[in-house]
């Protein structure tokens, strides 16, 4: 799933690392230390769903194609070129010469075919929406032929994580979920060598990486339990980067001459989820099955206040589901938008038979029971507490009582898949292509059995939405596909089990006296780390160090060649049109290649996935921001 979220997460047990941080020099082993508030859920690419693990996978597992830093356009990665068949259903990819895994084993087309076909057959969460209709056939060690059984608007983008066949083949399907994935076998620039849950994880340089050497030997990701402590560590020079700190720290950091603050956006959002009970399990409040009650809750919430007083004006105000890192996919809801209107909220509740018959300020249900909803507040988010204070106050003002319970992300996930909640706030960071995020709310993703949990944490199902989802999935005309997606999002908004509170900003800050070459993805508006394909790492250099040998140029070469053998520009969309920048809601430039690819967090989704979300989950797009951003 999308990287569920993102979020400003906070986990317990953070410790200081003596080896981390410190001035980097070109003569010594170079370590870059990244501070964050969210731990990994698992480094296993078939299981994890939070934004931090998507960063690990971006660094450890190269995909067949990647995304440009500027605009997400499709660029070469393991594949150096590809050719489309005349019917548009088959792409033949040519791999770079001499590819090796970090343990010295050759990386061939067999690894590509193995990953695509097994992940399709076994429906791996982080692969399936991309490979569902694909079949991969090995032509020779450097040539792989991939055929889709249906028209696929995402092709030729192939950004699923390729795993080493010699490591994964011996692991049976039943054992895959429990695999720790600490083998450290990588095709990307870094290998995961150690993970201390709740504390830190370490990645070291892959000596066999096909790309350029940035001069950084080791990456340490250090988990903080307190965002203020992380900010202080950055200012003291104990860490080099801080990811997802509180908006209250922006002004403080902007005043430090050695620190650059980045307010990035990549489609992440924070939502209020209501339990629509579609799975039929758990104990969600029956009042939430009444759409008038759900609409009343929406009208009771003032999202302008949340944007001004919780997000401090950073990011954007919430509208509806954000399915992509490109905000232009979000439709204008017009008069279907839910703006703050407590009078309308009261009218809907009265009309639905929810009245305060005993005068205690809390309405009773038509059955005479107090209308009190259970609200789960995340402990791993710097925004969750203030958001809950506002929301509970607004709901009480229209006669809806609340009972709040604080949970960490693991506890919240268990409650969510079990249907043991009425409402919670979490978030997602979506992929570039909208398909994965949209897939999470299909009926197939509703959890009917906690042992077979799906991504649909809205616990909502509508056959009309599912039909539109299947239409957009095979629609090759970009304009028509956008119309279908917009219709899906309007339907989702009307059904109202998922009120998007905020379009989240990724707040990051880095020291300017150690490394240079930071890249935002997309250019101008995106963050520098925890992005869809994490291009900044390869571009970084130690300040004052000699430039590394020029081994590869991954961004300049046009990768796509047409069936007649003529070269096509790399920065074209799936339909062959030239990629152009799309306007963001605030008028800034946003990513333009919105029709191809589904790489990270969000989280999950992503961003992941999950990801920060102040309040996301996926468990699968899962770029949910964690222990605050769950994409």
């Amino acid at each position: 799933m999308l990287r569920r979220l993102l979020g400003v997460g906070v986990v317990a047990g953070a410790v200081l690392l003596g080896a981390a941080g410190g001035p980097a020099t070109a003569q010594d082993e170079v370590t870059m230390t990244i501070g964050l508030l969210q731990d990994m859920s698992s480094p296993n690419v078939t299981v994890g769903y939070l934004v931090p693990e998507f960063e690990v996978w971006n660094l450890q597992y190269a995909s067949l194609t990647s995304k440009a830093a500027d605009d997400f356009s499709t660029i070469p990665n393991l594949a150096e070129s590809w050719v489309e068949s005349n019917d548009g259903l088959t792409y033949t990819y040519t791999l770079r010469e001499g590819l090796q895994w970090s343990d010295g084993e050759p990386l061939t087309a067999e690894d590509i075919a193995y990953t695509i076909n097994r992940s399709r057959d076994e429906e791996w969460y982080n692969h399936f929406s991309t490979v569902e209709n694909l079949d991969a056939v090995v032509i020779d060690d450097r040539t792989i032929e991939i055929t889709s059984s249906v028209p696929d608007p995402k092709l030729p983008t192939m950004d699923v994580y390729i795993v080493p066949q010699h490591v994964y083949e011996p692991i049976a399907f039943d054992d895959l979920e429990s695999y720790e994935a600490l083998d450290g076998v990588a095709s990307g620039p870094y290998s995961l060598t150690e993970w201390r849950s709740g504390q830190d994880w370490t990645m070291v340089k892959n000596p066999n990486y096909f790309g350029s050497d940035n001069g950084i030997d080791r990456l340490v990701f250090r988990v903080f339990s307190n965002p203020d402590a992380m900010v202080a560590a950055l200012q003291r020079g104990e860490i080099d980067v801080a990811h997802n700190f509180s908006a209250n720290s922006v002004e403080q950091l902007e005043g430090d001459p050695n620190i650059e603050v980045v307010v990035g956006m990549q489609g992440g959002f924070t939502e209020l989820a209501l339990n629509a009970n579609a799975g039929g399990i758990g104990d969600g409040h029956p009042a939430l099955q009444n759409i008038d009650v759900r609409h009343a809750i929406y009208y009771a919430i003032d999202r302008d206040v949340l944007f001004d007083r919780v997000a401090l004006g950073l990011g954007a105000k919430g509208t509806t589901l954000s399915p992509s890192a490109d905000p232009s996919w979000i439709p204008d809801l017009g008069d279907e938008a839910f703006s703050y209107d407590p009078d309308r909220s009261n009218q809907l509740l009265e009309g639905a038979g929810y009245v305060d018959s005993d005068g205690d300020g809390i309405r009773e249900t038509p059955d005479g029971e107090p209308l009190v909803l259970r609200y789960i507040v995340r402990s791993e988010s710097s925004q969750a507490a203030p958001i809950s204070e506002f929301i509970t106050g607004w709901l009480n003002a229209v006669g809806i009582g609340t009972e709040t319970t604080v949970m960490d992300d693991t506890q919240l996930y268990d409650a969510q898949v079990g249907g043991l909640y009425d409402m919670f706030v979490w978030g997602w960071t979506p992929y570039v292509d909208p398909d994965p995020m949209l897939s999470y709310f299909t009926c197939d993703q509703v959890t009917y059995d906690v042992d077979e949990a799906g991504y649909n944490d809205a616990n909502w199902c509508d056959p009309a939405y599912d039909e539109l989802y299947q239409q957009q999935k095979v629609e090759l005309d970009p304009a028509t596909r956008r119309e279908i997606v917009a219709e899906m999002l309007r339907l989702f908004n009307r059904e109202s089990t998922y009120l998007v509170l905020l379009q989240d900003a990724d707040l990051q800050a880095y020291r300017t006296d150690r490394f240079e070459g930071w890249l935002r993805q997309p250019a101008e508006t995106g963050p520098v780390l925890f992005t869809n394909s994490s291009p900044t790492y390869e571009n970084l250099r130690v300040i004052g160090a000699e430039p590394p040998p020029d081994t590869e140029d991954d961004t300049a070469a046009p990768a796509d060649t047409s069936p007649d053998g003529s070269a096509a520009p790399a920065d074209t969309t799936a339909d062959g049109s030239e990629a152009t920048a799309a306007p963001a809601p605030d008028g800034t430039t946003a990513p333009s290649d919105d029709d191809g690819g589904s790489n990270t967090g969000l989280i999950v989704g992503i961003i992941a996935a999950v990801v920060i979300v102040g309040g996301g989950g996926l468990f699968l797009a899962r770029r949910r921001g964690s222990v605050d951003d769950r994409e």
Side-chain angles (χ1 to χ4, degrees), residues 222-240:
R222 177 175 155 193
V223 181
F224 286 80
S225 59
N226 183 310
D228 294 335
M230 180 172 67
V231 167
L234 178 68
Q235 292 190 290
R236 290 194 299 266
E238 296 174 359
I239 62 176
D240 301 296

Side-chain angles (χ1 to χ4, degrees), residues 83-226:
V83 175
E84 179 185 4
S85 65
N86 290 330
D87 63 6
L89 296 176
T90 299
Y91 282 82
T92 302
Y93 298 83
T94 300
L95 305 185
R96 298 170 186 269
E97 287 190 51
L99 290 172
Q100 285 186 308
W101 294 99
S102 59
D103 62 358
E105 290 291 320
L107 194 169
T108 71
E110 294 283 357
D111 293 290
I112 313 298
Y114 169 79
T115 300
I116 292 172
N117 295 334
R118 180 173 180 181
S119 64
R120 176 203 61 212
D121 295 343
E122 296 181 354
E123 300 186 12
W124 294 0
Y125 283 140
N126 295 312
H127 290 67
F128 188 65
S129 67
T130 297
V131 304
E132 177 180 4
N133 298 310
L134 302 183
D135 184 64
V137 175
V138 174
I139 305 301
D140 57 42
D141 283 352
R142 290 186 57 208
T143 310
I144 183 84
E145 184 179 271
I146 298 175
T147 300
S148 178
S149 59
V150 296
D152 188 340
K154 296 188 294 297
L155 290 173
T157 299
M158 276 300 303
D159 51 9
V160 295
Y161 300 110
I162 303 301
V163 299
Q165 180 178 5
H166 64 285
V167 173
Y168 276 74
E169 194 164 46
I171 306 171
F173 172 73
D174 290 340
D175 298 328
L176 195 57
E177 184 174 348
S178 60
Y179 180 55
E180 292 184 346
L182 294 173
D183 52 81
V185 177
S187 55
Y190 289 94
S191 301
L192 179 66
T193 58
E194 183 182 31
W195 174 36
R196 299 189 295 177
S197 182
Q199 299 182 31
D200 59 76
W201 64 91
T202 299
M203 305 189 76
V204 299
K205 184 188 302 182
N206 171 10
N208 298 325
Y209 178 53
F210 57 85
S212 63
D213 182 354
N214 62 6
I216 302 172
D217 301 290
R218 188 169 66 142
L219 303 176
V220 174
F221 293 80
R222 177 175 155 193
V223 181
F224 286 80
S225 59
N226 183 310

Side-chain angles (χ1 to χ4, degrees), residues 479-545:
T480 302
R481 187 178 184 219
R482 280 180 175 271
E483 292 174 359
I484 297 171
V485 170
E487 188 175 351
M488 294 176 70
L489 297 176
R490 292 190 183 98
L491 186 158
F492 192 74
N493 177 67
R494 290 194 296 271
E495 284 294 306
S496 306
T497 58
Y498 226 55
L499 178 63
V500 174
L501 304 173
L502 297 166
Q503 303 292 336
D504 296 310
D506 288 302
L507 301 182
Q508 301 176 345
Y510 59 84
R511 295 194 63 84
T512 57
D513 52 358
R514 293 179 176 167
F515 303 100
E516 59 186 356
W518 302 90
L519 288 179
R520 302 181 71 163
Q521 187 184 42
E524 306 296 332
T525 60
V528 294
L529 298 181
F530 300 92
T531 63
N532 263 256
S533 58
S534 306
T536 204
Y537 294 93
E538 193 165 351
N539 200 60
L540 288 174
R541 300 289 182 266
V542 177
I543 292 176

